[in-house]
Amino acid sequence: MSRRFSTEKGMDVPNIEVDSENVEYTEEHITAKYLYTKNQVKVEENTVKVTPGFHKYTFQTERKVGKTGVMLIGLGGNNGSTITAAILANKHNVCWNGRTGKLEPNYFGSLTQASTIRLGSTNDGEEIHVPFNSLLPMAHPNDFVVGGWDINGANLADATDRAAVLDYDLRQKLRPELEKITPMPSIYYPDFIAANQADRADNVLSTGSKQKDLEKIRSDIKEFKSKHDLDTVVVLWTANTERFTDVEPGLNMTADEILNSVKENKDEVSPSNIFAIASILEGCPYINGSPQNTLVPGVIELSEKHNVFIGGDDFKSGQTKMKSVLMDFLVSAGIKVEAIASYNHLGNNDGKNLDAPAQFRSKEISKSNVVDDMVAMNSILYKEGEHPDHVVVIKYIPTVGDSKRALDEYTSRIFMNGMNTIVMHNTCEDSLLATPLIIDLVCMTELMTRIKYKTSDSPDWQSFKPVLSVLSYMLKAPLVPKGTPVVNALMKQQRCATNILMACIGLNPDHDMLLEHKTNLPGTVSREEL
Ligand SMILES: NC(=O)c1ccc[n+]([C@@H]2O[C@H](COP(=O)([O-])OP(=O)(O)OC[C@H]3O[C@@H](n4cnc5c(N)ncnc54)[C@H](O)[C@@H]3O)[C@@H](O)[C@H]2O)c1
Ligand SMILES: O=P([O-])([O-])O[C@@H]1[C@@H](O)[C@H](O)[C@@H](O)[C@H](O)[C@@H]1O
């Protein structure tokens, strides 16, 4: 049985209050002492020695959610225009007539806005699940101030019509507000995106140098922040997929190198490199929603020097999201996936840009590496270096527009060398699946700017590491701090995010054991009595 907390419009989400001597609530902060348990493993020849570890943290979260701005690079694109329109529709509860009658706006598909977390159970066995965004004070998308840049100058009303993602009636109702929004001119270096995008580029900066481009973007961010009196600005790339840049000494291996490469106007510095640098220098978190390698070592070092969050790469919205669930299920079940044929066709401008080999290659990389961790976790099935055959195909078929058709075939070896084939057809409404992730990326990033921690070894408050790997759930190719394992399995990523939020209010992670229903549960003890 599970109680339903209504999150109907106008109803507040439940107020979570943790009753523990280890959690303190003040006007400004929630401060929680947390015992982090971690098994330390040591492999000695054929012996695996495991030592249960206990690590004391104190997390502190600022309760005041600041006024949050979102600056989208690619504001006029399918994702950019759709998220802007959807926020307006939700904020003003704009309903519209669809094929099936009156339709209401929602944030379905967003982890932070439409998922729940199991807190535990009551004494009479009632399971209590609460909205994800009720655990800690979080920004609400309705309150986002949205702006940004685009190499195309269409206003957002024309852009949503061009995208044709949202229903016509809704677009018409939102037109008066949307047409007031026009993207700021952006950086356009033709070599980085497909040549077929050239006819879109009518709203480009012409400062004459990459250094001046950097200075202009920095001033755009400054001006946006001050004009709207913002506490936090998150800059997010949802512009076209760029080709990969070279990564080499002297170019972008260190913060100084990449700053010098900008000054020296080097060809290999991409528009997205410049946006990332500008954001970091303005103290604004930068998120890469596309697959290109914007976050080169020099940009990462710059974020570490300035202690500014960065995250990426490539929204995990449909076909890859399904892959990161199916592969986890199959391999965890001891089923050896030996071939994955991953094809899709789409007809939006993203698909048009990906029709060019260099841009497709960026996407192929992010879509292919997603199985690596799941293969690596089962050496019974896969020998050292063994991988499933895995092909990724993307074709551009204008007729289908944003309604991407994904066709996947998983061929696996099963018991006694039988073979099993799973075929899936998944109509991924690309922008309607990706834009809730933009909300989650911004909400989680803004929250992380308000969380500090200290430990028994380091008594000074510090923030999480600048490479924000807690965002992995939303991303195909998660960027992680050096030396960190890359986790792509979707449920592990979701548990990671959920349990970090639970830890920030001093709660235990949900381990699914439900011993209370399998044994006679003993009374609770304090940690000291353990
Ligand atoms: N399901 C999804 O939609 C999904 C999933 C994962 C990743 N992505 C990535 O998100 C990005 C956007 O997807 P989309 O469907 O909105 O694409 P889109 O082509 O509709 O929008 C991209 C926008 O970026 C603009 N642009 C290109 N270069 C720019 C620059 N240098 N500065 C500013 N604007 C620039 C274009 O004019 C366009 O309006 C793509 O890179 C895509 O690969 C999308
Ligand atoms: O997230 P996902 O559905 O696996 O991947 C999608 C690709 O299949 C699609 O071809 C591309 O246009 C989108 O940008 C997105 O990356």
Side-chain angles (χ1 to χ4, degrees), residues 78-79 150 186-187 200 239-241 290 314 349-350 363 430:
N78 282 24
N79 287 347
D150 203 295
S186 189
I187 303 169
R200 244 178 125 98
N240 284 121
T241 294
S290 293
D314 207 7
N349 189 59
D350 177 23
K363 188 67 74 172
D430 248 7

Side-chain angles (χ1 to χ4, degrees), residues 73-74 76-80 149-152 162 186-188 193 200 237-241 271 275 289-291 314-315 317 348-350 354 363 402 430-431 434 476:
I73 307 133
N78 282 24
N79 287 347
W149 304 265
D150 203 295
I151 58 173
N152 179 267
R162 173 176 60 193
S186 189
I187 303 169
Y188 176 52
I193 56 175
R200 244 178 125 98
W237 179 278
T238 182
N240 284 121
T241 294
F275 274 102
S290 293
D314 207 7
F315 309 126
S317 55
N348 56 21
N349 189 59
D350 177 23
L354 292 172
K363 188 67 74 172
D402 203 72
D430 248 7
S431 297
K476 289 197 197 60

Side-chain angles (χ1 to χ4, degrees), residues 317-320 344 346 350 354 363 367 394 404 430 476:
S317 55
Q319 187 175 42
T320 304
N344 79 64
L346 72 169
D350 177 23
L354 292 172
K363 188 67 74 172
K367 286 174 71 78
I394 298 176
K404 180 192 71 213
D430 248 7
K476 289 197 197 60

Side-chain angles (χ1 to χ4, degrees), residues 52-209:
F54 303 90
H55 309 266
K56 289 167 76 170
Y57 279 83
T58 303
F59 292 108
Q60 187 170 82
T61 306
E62 278 178 57
R63 301 184 75 168
K64 179 179 181 294
V65 179
K67 193 176 175 188
T68 303
V70 185
M71 297 191 81
L72 299 175
I73 307 133
L75 179 63
N78 282 24
N79 287 347
S81 59
T82 300
I83 189 64
T84 306
I87 287 173
L88 282 173
N90 276 282
K91 182 172 186 170
H92 303 295
N93 196 27
V94 176
C95 302
W96 68 98
N97 296 307
R99 277 181 295 113
T100 55
K102 181 181 173 187
L103 298 172
E104 294 186 355
N106 65 47
Y107 284 121
F108 290 0
S110 161
L111 185 74
T112 57
Q113 307 305 310
S115 81
T116 60
I117 291 176
R118 177 183 179 272
L119 275 191
S121 57
T122 62
N123 286 335
D124 51 20
E126 188 184 6
E127 290 282 289
I128 300 297
H129 294 79
V130 296
F132 185 101
N133 60 3
S134 63
L135 285 191
L136 284 166
M138 290 186 90
H140 195 286
N142 287 359
D143 304 322
F144 288 172
V145 179
V146 182
W149 304 265
D150 203 295
I151 58 173
N152 179 267
N155 68 53
L156 273 266
D158 295 340
T160 45
D161 282 346
R162 173 176 60 193
V165 169
L166 298 172
D167 285 340
Y168 176 78
D169 187 39
L170 174 60
R171 301 199 312 257
Q172 288 310 103
K173 289 184 172 173
L174 293 172
R175 172 164 278 275
E177 282 305 306
L178 286 171
E179 62 191 4
K180 296 175 192 168
I181 305 169
T182 51
M184 292 183 281
S186 189
I187 303 169
Y188 176 52
Y189 304 154
D191 176 46
F192 281 91
I193 56 175
N196 63 32
Q197 296 298 309
D199 58 0
R200 244 178 125 98
D202 63 7
N203 189 40
V204 301
L205 287 177
S206 53
T207 67
S209 78

Side-chain angles (χ1 to χ4, degrees), residues 168-475:
Y168 176 78
D169 187 39
L170 174 60
R171 301 199 312 257
Q172 288 310 103
K173 289 184 172 173
L174 293 172
R175 172 164 278 275
E177 282 305 306
L178 286 171
E179 62 191 4
K180 296 175 192 168
I181 305 169
T182 51
M184 292 183 281
S186 189
I187 303 169
Y188 176 52
Y189 304 154
D191 176 46
F192 281 91
I193 56 175
N196 63 32
Q197 296 298 309
D199 58 0
R200 244 178 125 98
D202 63 7
N203 189 40
V204 301
L205 287 177
S206 53
T207 67
S209 78
K210 295 193 177 186
Q211 182 61 34
K212 288 201 176 94
D213 286 344
L214 172 61
E215 287 156 12
K216 177 65 172 73
I217 299 303
R218 289 190 65 177
S219 99
D220 288 346
I221 296 171
K222 272 195 194 78
E223 195 178 316
F224 185 79
K225 192 168 185 176
S226 107
K227 176 184 172 189
H228 298 288
D229 190 24
L230 299 170
D231 299 294
T232 307
V233 170
V234 177
V235 181
L236 186 144
W237 179 278
T238 182
N240 284 121
T241 294
E242 297 176 329
R243 68 168 173 80
F244 267 44
T245 57
D246 297 340
V247 179
E248 58 193 39
L251 173 65
N252 52 19
M253 295 301 286
T254 67
D256 290 342
E257 284 184 3
I258 196 159
L259 292 174
N260 289 332
S261 296
V262 172
K263 287 193 179 85
E264 293 161 14
N265 223 38
K266 286 186 178 172
D267 291 345
E268 273 305 292
V269 174
S270 64
S272 61
N273 283 151
I274 292 184
F275 274 102
I277 295 165
S279 308
I280 292 165
L281 294 178
E282 289 304 314
C284 300
Y286 183 85
I287 309 295
N288 178 26
S290 293
Q292 73 273 354
N293 64 337
T294 305
L295 305 175
V296 291
V299 169
I300 294 172
E301 186 182 89
L302 191 68
S303 74
E304 288 163 348
K305 276 186 168 177
H306 292 263
N307 201 27
V308 174
F309 288 136
I310 57 174
D313 300 309
D314 207 7
F315 309 126
K316 182 160 74 172
S317 55
Q319 187 175 42
T320 304
K321 198 164 196 169
M322 188 61 79
K323 190 177 292 176
S324 67
V325 173
L326 200 53
M327 273 301 283
D328 189 26
F329 142 54
L330 291 168
V331 175
S332 301
I335 292 173
K336 184 179 182 181
V337 179
E338 295 195 348
I340 306 168
S342 208
Y343 162 94
N344 79 64
H345 61 263
L346 72 169
N348 56 21
N349 189 59
D350 177 23
K352 183 178 176 185
N353 180 62
L354 292 172
D355 211 22
Q359 284 64 39
F360 165 70
R361 181 62 190 140
S362 297
K363 188 67 74 172
E364 183 183 34
I365 291 168
S366 70
K367 286 174 71 78
S368 303
N369 295 348
V370 74
V371 302
D372 294 353
D373 59 315
M374 291 166 266
V375 168
M377 78 183 180
N378 192 324
S379 57
I380 298 171
L381 300 177
Y382 300 98
K383 298 187 193 66
E384 182 73 32
E386 185 182 4
H387 276 79
D389 300 335
H390 186 186
V391 290
V392 170
V393 178
I394 298 176
K395 290 298 176 192
Y396 174 54
I397 298 184
T399 306
V400 303
D402 203 72
S403 181
K404 180 192 71 213
R405 293 13 174 5
L407 293 92
D408 289 80
E409 180 188 88
Y410 292 75
T411 305
S412 308
R413 190 170 301 277
I414 58 177
F415 188 60
M416 298 304 286
N417 285 300
M419 296 303 285
N420 167 269
T421 300
I422 296 172
V423 175
M424 191 183 329
H425 181 285
N426 181 355
T427 299
C428 307
E429 298 297 336
D430 248 7
S431 297
L432 296 178
L433 291 174
T435 43
L437 304 181
I438 293 177
I439 287 171
D440 294 336
L441 287 162
V442 174
C443 286
M444 286 296 290
T445 301
E446 189 281 331
L447 170 63
M448 298 306 288
T449 66
R450 289 183 285 114
I451 297 176
K452 298 282 183 284
Y453 75 91
K454 61 185 179 182
T455 69
S456 40
D457 298 351
S458 51
D460 299 328
W461 290 115
Q462 52 189 308
S463 55
F464 277 67
K465 291 183 176 177
V467 175
L468 213 44
S469 51
V470 72
L471 302 178
S472 296
Y473 174 89
M474 285 73 81
L475 298 159

